[in-house]
Amino acid sequence: MSRWFRSEPMEYISLIVNGDAAHDCLSDLGKLGVIQFTDLNPELTPFQRRFVSYVKRCDELERKLRYFGSECDKFGLALESAGTVDSFVTASEEVKASNPAESGNKLLESLETELEGYESQLRELNSYSEKLTTEYNEKVELQEVLEKARRFFMTEAPRIVQNSLRGPPSPGGKTESLLGDNEGGGRSGMDMRFSSVTGVVSMEEKARFERMIFRATRGNCYVRFASIDQPITDPKSGEQVEKCVFIVFYKSLAIETKLKQICDAFDAHRYSLPDMDDAPAVDRMLAENAQELVDSRTVLLKNQDTRFRLCQMLAKSTEKWTWIVLREKAVYHSLNMFKTDVSGMLRGEGWVVSEKLDDVRQAVNHAHADMGTSMPSLVDQVAKPWPTPPTHFTTNKFTYGYQEFVNTYGIPRYREANPALFTAATFPFLFGVMYGDIGHGLFLFFAGLYLLANEKANDNAKLGEMMGGMHSGRYMITMMGFFRSLRRFHVQ
């Protein structure tokens, strides 16, 4: 508690490292977490820094990993956890010890090669899947159009034609044909055939589509719709879309041109049908399309299975790769703060916790020894560039929540008394004084105990923003519930 009352003493150091060993040196210093570098190149823009190309490469790798994650989400696959930070650091050290060359630029090159192969393979499969889905949808729509159109011509068309050939009722109550036998020139009314346009349109656009046809043709069309029972998968978004079959009868070439333009505007798919009076031709087309539909579905399912297995494999390593890329990006961001010195040396400056100064020297020397460089490294204390060093508090599981709570209001200055110590002692008690309620207090108390009981499981789990905050403040929640219930008992 005495260390928590005041921030850690800091020392300002100058660090000179060999350019070849700089990456491993910064990586080892990052594991210690006790140093904060200052920017020695404030006059340079981010695009003028020495290691900006490496940062861009890391950004490109992050883009690929986000793409892998989005593809896994489409199949409902959860990314496999990379474990805790400690286990990740330990595994990285083991890989580095077994293969010293697999670090720095070599590590980025190997990751780029591996991820590029997976991305190209996945994009090729997705492109092929989109093409197969489009072809499959066209066959499904054609099958529905054929079935719906045949049913319409078999049931409704004769009745419509029969009614159209009858004129208005005569004074005697009978109906007569609009065209008499002599006036029609011997031509039967059944020979006055209408042209038709058939296709499929989205159910959302059905009302607007029908209204546009009526207005454009001034009502000189007969339109019928029939909904498709099963939704159709959109090849680009993968969403299920409700569609319906339409058939439009017309009698003019000018109207045909307008109908085609309206169909294109509403993204309606038009299909050419054989003569519906030729039943064998219609049945033959239905049978052929049904067989093609089965073959297309088989190929599409195999493609989906291949994509699923690839995403299943990527889900096991995506989070681990993401952590590696973030670590490399942080290293190169820190190296961009260094200033180029003579003979391939890099010079950096920063604040370090005083009692960890020896650990920093040991880490720098160890990184140079592993690289076998002849140029020695140098870690030396220099004069402080400004009077106020950064503030660093050493916290544990209990004090972390209170420290974060205080930091939301403001971070104490260097070596200033830490209000978090007083907050930990007074805040839960004052909370109980203000909101003394046994019911809510017991609820908070048992909720805190539940979080404490599942502490190890939650440490390794992927928690959301709200659940992660509750896990960080589990000790605070437990104490708040305890004092709230205790205060209520005291009042009674």
Side-chain angles (χ1 to χ4, degrees):
M1 286 296 179
S2 59
R3 295 185 58 182
W4 193 33
F5 183 64
R6 300 283 185 181
S7 63
E8 297 288 340
M10 308 292 287
E11 295 289 343
Y12 194 75
I13 63 170
S14 175
L15 177 67
I16 299 178
V17 297
N18 190 285
D20 297 332
H23 177 276
D24 291 344
C25 179
L26 266 292
S27 181
D28 292 341
L29 290 177
K31 297 172 186 176
L32 295 177
V34 294
I35 188 169
Q36 176 181 312
F37 291 102
T38 56
D39 191 3
L40 300 183
N41 305 298
E43 72 282 357
L44 299 180
T45 65
F47 299 100
Q48 295 175 329
R49 307 288 175 125
R50 177 174 179 176
F51 296 94
V52 64
S53 60
Y54 294 92
V55 176
K56 290 181 179 179
R57 290 166 65 184
C58 292
D59 289 336
E60 179 64 17
L61 290 175
E62 283 187 286
R63 182 196 61 78
K64 294 177 181 178
L65 292 170
R66 286 194 299 269
Y67 174 66
F68 294 161
S70 64
E71 291 299 314
C72 292
D73 290 339
K74 292 180 181 179
F75 289 101
L77 295 173
L79 301 182
E80 188 173 317
S81 176
T84 62
V85 176
D86 294 335
S87 63
F88 172 75
V89 171
T90 303
S92 301
E93 291 177 350
E94 293 176 355
V95 171
K96 181 180 176 181
S98 60
N99 189 8
E102 197 70 15
S103 63
N105 189 33
K106 296 293 183 181
L107 178 60
L108 279 184
E109 289 179 358
S110 64
L111 265 180
E112 286 173 336
T113 303
E114 186 175 8
L115 298 187
E116 180 66 29
Y118 288 136
E119 185 190 26
S120 60
Q121 185 179 357
L122 193 55
R123 288 193 180 277
E124 183 178 358
L125 287 173
N126 286 339
S127 176
Y128 193 40
S129 174
E130 184 176 338
K131 181 181 178 182
L132 289 174
T133 304
T134 302
E135 294 177 357
Y136 177 74
N137 290 346
E138 290 176 354
K139 291 178 172 57
V140 171
E141 292 175 356
L142 178 58
Q143 192 78 5
E144 293 288 340
V145 168
L146 284 170
E147 293 177 356
K148 298 288 192 299
R150 183 172 65 172
R151 187 180 302 116
F152 174 80
F153 277 97
M154 290 176 61
T155 58
E156 296 191 31
R159 178 177 55 83
I160 296 173
V161 173
Q162 193 77 10
N163 293 335
S164 66
L165 293 176
R166 296 183 179 274
S170 61
K174 297 182 180 180
T175 58
E176 298 179 356
S177 175
L178 292 177
L179 295 177
D181 293 338
N182 296 330
E183 295 179 3
R187 184 176 60 177
S188 173
M190 293 297 291
D191 293 332
M192 298 180 62
R193 306 177 68 86
F194 286 82
S195 301
S196 63
V197 173
T198 54
V200 176
V201 70
S202 172
M203 286 292 290
E204 295 181 356
E205 301 290 345
K206 176 184 173 182
R208 295 177 58 241
F209 181 71
E210 185 177 11
R211 187 163 55 249
M212 181 61 70
I213 290 178
F214 180 83
R215 291 176 177 175
T217 62
R218 299 183 179 181
N220 293 315
C221 285
Y222 181 75
V223 187
R224 296 293 291 173
F225 292 94
S227 61
I228 299 177
D229 297 334
Q230 295 182 350
I232 296 177
T233 304
D234 185 87
K236 295 183 178 180
S237 64
E239 298 179 354
Q240 300 291 320
V241 181
E242 297 286 344
K243 292 190 175 184
C244 63
V245 176
F246 66 86
I247 180 168
V248 185
F249 293 95
Y250 59 93
K251 198 60 179 151
S252 167
L253 292 177
I255 293 179
E256 180 182 3
T257 303
K258 292 181 180 180
L259 291 176
K260 290 181 179 180
Q261 293 175 348
I262 293 173
C263 290
D264 294 338
F266 282 85
D267 197 22
H269 301 155
R270 292 180 283 112
Y271 294 94
S272 300
L273 300 182
D275 187 0
M276 288 293 131
D277 293 335
D278 189 359
V282 175
D283 293 338
R284 185 169 55 254
M285 189 173 183
L286 275 169
E288 292 175 356
N289 187 72
Q291 183 59 41
E292 293 177 0
L293 190 62
V294 173
D295 297 339
S296 179
R297 178 175 175 79
T298 302
V299 178
L300 181 60
L301 290 177
K302 288 184 178 180
N303 175 271
Q304 290 179 351
D305 182 65
T306 304
R307 289 168 55 212
F308 177 78
R309 285 188 279 108
L310 178 59
C311 290
Q312 205 171 27
M313 185 270 295
L314 292 174
K316 297 179 180 179
S317 304
T318 297
E319 184 166 312
K320 183 186 70 174
W321 289 333
T322 302
W323 285 18
I324 293 174
V325 172
L326 291 176
R327 181 192 64 193
E328 295 300 309
K329 189 176 181 180
V331 168
Y332 288 115
H333 268 304
S334 298
L335 285 175
N336 278 332
M337 299 182 185
F338 280 51
K339 203 173 189 65
T340 304
D341 215 330
V342 295
S343 304
M345 305 294 287
L346 295 176
R347 180 172 61 87
E349 296 179 358
W351 294 96
V352 64
V353 179
S354 298
E355 65 175 13
K356 298 293 184 179
L357 184 57
D358 293 335
D359 294 340
V360 171
R361 286 197 177 99
Q362 184 178 358
V364 172
N365 294 331
H366 183 265
H368 281 73
D370 289 343
M371 293 294 296
T373 57
S374 57
M375 297 296 293
S377 60
L378 177 63
V379 178
D380 196 11
Q381 299 181 22
V382 295
K384 300 177 182 179
W386 61 81
T388 306
T391 303
H392 176 78
F393 290 104
T394 302
T395 58
N396 52 34
K397 296 178 180 179
F398 178 81
T399 60
Y400 176 78
Y402 293 101
Q403 188 64 56
E404 289 297 310
F405 179 72
V406 170
N407 289 346
T408 58
Y409 293 94
I411 299 176
R413 290 192 294 268
Y414 177 67
R415 301 298 290 170
E416 187 180 58
N418 187 8
L421 177 62
F422 304 99
T423 303
T426 60
F427 178 75
F429 175 75
L430 293 177
F431 178 82
V433 171
M434 290 187 292
Y435 304 102
D437 181 85
I438 186 172
H440 191 258
L442 289 176
F443 173 78
L444 284 179
F445 180 67
F446 286 115
L449 291 179
Y450 175 79
L451 292 173
L452 293 177
N454 294 273
E455 180 178 316
K456 292 184 178 180
N458 291 335
D459 282 338
N460 301 327
K462 296 177 68 175
L463 303 176
E465 181 179 358
M466 189 176 81
M467 195 61 192
M470 293 177 63
H471 175 67
S472 300
R474 56 194 180 276
Y475 290 97
M476 182 187 295
I477 294 174
T478 306
M479 293 183 65
M480 287 163 60
F482 173 77
F483 280 106
R484 186 165 187 173
S485 303
L486 182 65
R487 176 61 181 171
R488 183 59 178 170
F489 279 122
H490 180 69
V491 171
Q492 289 179 349

